[in-house]
Amino acid sequence: MYNPMTPAPTPVSAWVSAARRLKADGDQHGLMLHIEDPTGFLPGEEDVVSLVDVFLRDHDKCGISTVANTIFPAALDRGDGIEALTARYMQVFERRMHRQGEWGRYFQRMVAWPLGSGKNAGTVNQLAENIRSLREMRQGDAKFFGNVTEIALFDPARDLRKKMNRQCLSFIELKPERNGGVWRLSMMAVYRNHYYVQRSLGNLIGLGRLLQFIARETGFDVGTLTIQSTHACLDPDLQRADVAALITACDGRPEATIDNGQRIGQRLAGVR
C-alpha cells in the first residue's frame, strides 16, 4: 500500500511518470506523487496536456479544464476573495446542479458543506474558514499551528452507501510552514480511486490552482503538492491499445501522433 514515485518538478511530469508505471506494471495501490512546483510547466508540457485533452474529447470524455474546474473554478476567480468567488460559483452551481448529477461537486463541498439534512440547516464554507485561520496565523494574530487545516470531501451521509459514482477525492490537508522569514503552504490530497487518463492530469492541475489560490489569499508562498491514490489504474472503459498509444505519445516523443491524427502541438485553450 506504499508505492512512492520519485519526486517530480511539475504536475505534468508527475502524471507522465505515474502513467508510465501503470502502463508497465498494472494497477497500483498506495501510489504517491510528490510535486515540487504544483503550478509549473516545463517546456513542451502544455503540448502533453493538449494531447490528453484531444484524446479525452475524441473518446467522449470530459476535457482537462472540466476536470480541473471541479476542484477549482479558475475562470470564476476575479482576485476579490473567497466570499466573492463562492457567490459566483454557487450561482453557476444552482443553474447546473439538476443536470450534472453528483459528479463535479468537489468545490461545492469545499464552500457549502451541509450542517444538517433539513432545508434550513445551513452550510459551512470550509475554504473561507481555513483561509481566515491561515491568514491570522500568517499575520501573527493567532498562534501558529501546522497541523489543523483540513478540507473534507467524503461525506458518510451522502457517500457511504453508494457503490458506484462515489467521489474519488476524499480529503485535503493543508500544511503551513514557517522557516525564518519564509512562509510556505503545502498540500496533500488523498484519493480512494484514480482513473489516470480521464481524471488524474486534470485533478493535478486543479489541485495546484486551489493551492495557489489559498496561498495568495493568506500571504503564503506556494509549497509542494503530494497526492496519494489508494488505488490507481488505467481506465477500464477505454481501449487499452488507445491508452497505451496515448502514454507513449506523451512520454518524451514530441513527434508522435495518436489515431485521430492530432499532433501534440495543438494547444488547449485556457490551461495556463
Side-chain angles (χ1 to χ4, degrees):
M1 288 293 289
Y2 179 58
N3 289 303
M5 300 292 299
T6 300
T10 64
V12 175
S13 58
W15 179 84
V16 170
S17 296
R20 185 194 307 131
R21 175 184 284 193
L22 291 168
K23 177 186 171 188
D25 299 336
D27 293 13
Q28 298 284 304
H29 289 91
L31 185 65
M32 182 170 284
L33 311 184
H34 184 73
I35 301 166
E36 296 293 340
D37 182 359
T39 62
F41 282 81
L42 296 174
E45 288 189 342
E46 288 179 319
D47 294 331
V48 173
V49 177
S50 297
L51 178 56
V52 177
D53 185 73
V54 169
F55 178 91
L56 291 172
R57 294 178 189 277
D58 284 353
H59 287 76
D60 297 319
K61 306 298 182 183
C62 293
I64 297 292
S65 290
T66 299
V67 175
N69 285 337
T70 67
I71 295 172
F72 185 74
L76 298 178
D77 181 21
R78 306 284 188 269
D80 51 359
I82 183 57
E83 299 294 352
L85 173 58
T86 298
R88 279 190 293 272
Y89 172 81
M90 292 306 297
Q91 287 180 349
V92 175
F93 177 80
E94 293 294 337
R95 291 199 302 267
R96 297 181 178 176
M97 62 179 295
H98 298 298
R99 64 175 183 269
Q100 75 179 34
E102 286 294 321
W103 186 80
R105 297 190 178 194
Y106 289 130
F107 192 75
Q108 187 264 345
R109 292 187 180 208
M110 295 182 206
V111 299
W113 187 274
L115 294 175
S117 57
K119 268 190 174 182
N120 300 316
T123 62
V124 61
N125 189 326
Q126 298 186 79
L127 283 187
E129 289 299 316
N130 281 319
I131 286 169
R132 178 191 57 77
S133 176
L134 288 166
R135 185 183 293 143
E136 289 176 354
M137 286 193 282
R138 177 67 180 86
Q139 295 173 347
D141 297 330
K143 184 177 179 180
F144 180 84
F145 289 97
N147 57 0
V148 298
T149 315
E150 305 167 298
I151 303 170
L153 283 308
F154 171 74
D155 182 357
R158 287 179 279 180
D159 304 320
L160 191 58
R161 294 184 179 180
K162 291 190 296 186
K163 305 304 180 188
M164 302 291 292
N165 300 318
R166 286 172 63 170
Q167 54 37 262
C168 293
L169 175 57
S170 297
F171 183 77
I172 292 173
E173 179 87 15
L174 295 165
K175 288 298 186 187
E177 307 167 74
R178 57 180 180 180
N179 184 8
V182 178
W183 296 68
R184 289 204 321 163
L185 185 66
S186 296
M187 175 185 288
M188 181 172 183
V190 177
Y191 282 82
R192 67 165 182 86
N193 188 49
H194 239 158
Y195 278 11
Y196 245 74
V197 175
Q198 293 181 52
R199 299 286 187 258
S200 290
L201 185 53
N203 290 158
L204 298 183
I205 291 171
L207 288 168
R209 290 173 175 172
L210 176 64
L211 175 58
Q212 184 179 48
F213 172 80
I214 298 171
R216 185 191 79 201
E217 292 298 307
T218 57
F220 283 78
D221 293 335
V222 174
T224 62
L225 173 62
T226 304
I227 301 94
Q228 167 121 19
S229 302
T230 59
H231 178 256
C233 65
L234 297 179
D235 314 43
D237 59 337
L238 294 171
Q239 290 292 325
R240 184 162 294 274
D242 291 350
V243 170
L246 171 68
I247 295 170
T248 298
C250 292
D251 193 9
R253 293 180 52 191
E255 77 285 359
T257 61
I258 53 177
D259 57 6
N260 64 8
Q262 297 286 347
R263 292 191 176 275
I264 68 174
Q266 185 168 352
R267 289 286 194 265
L268 169 63
V271 163
R272 290 301 293 272

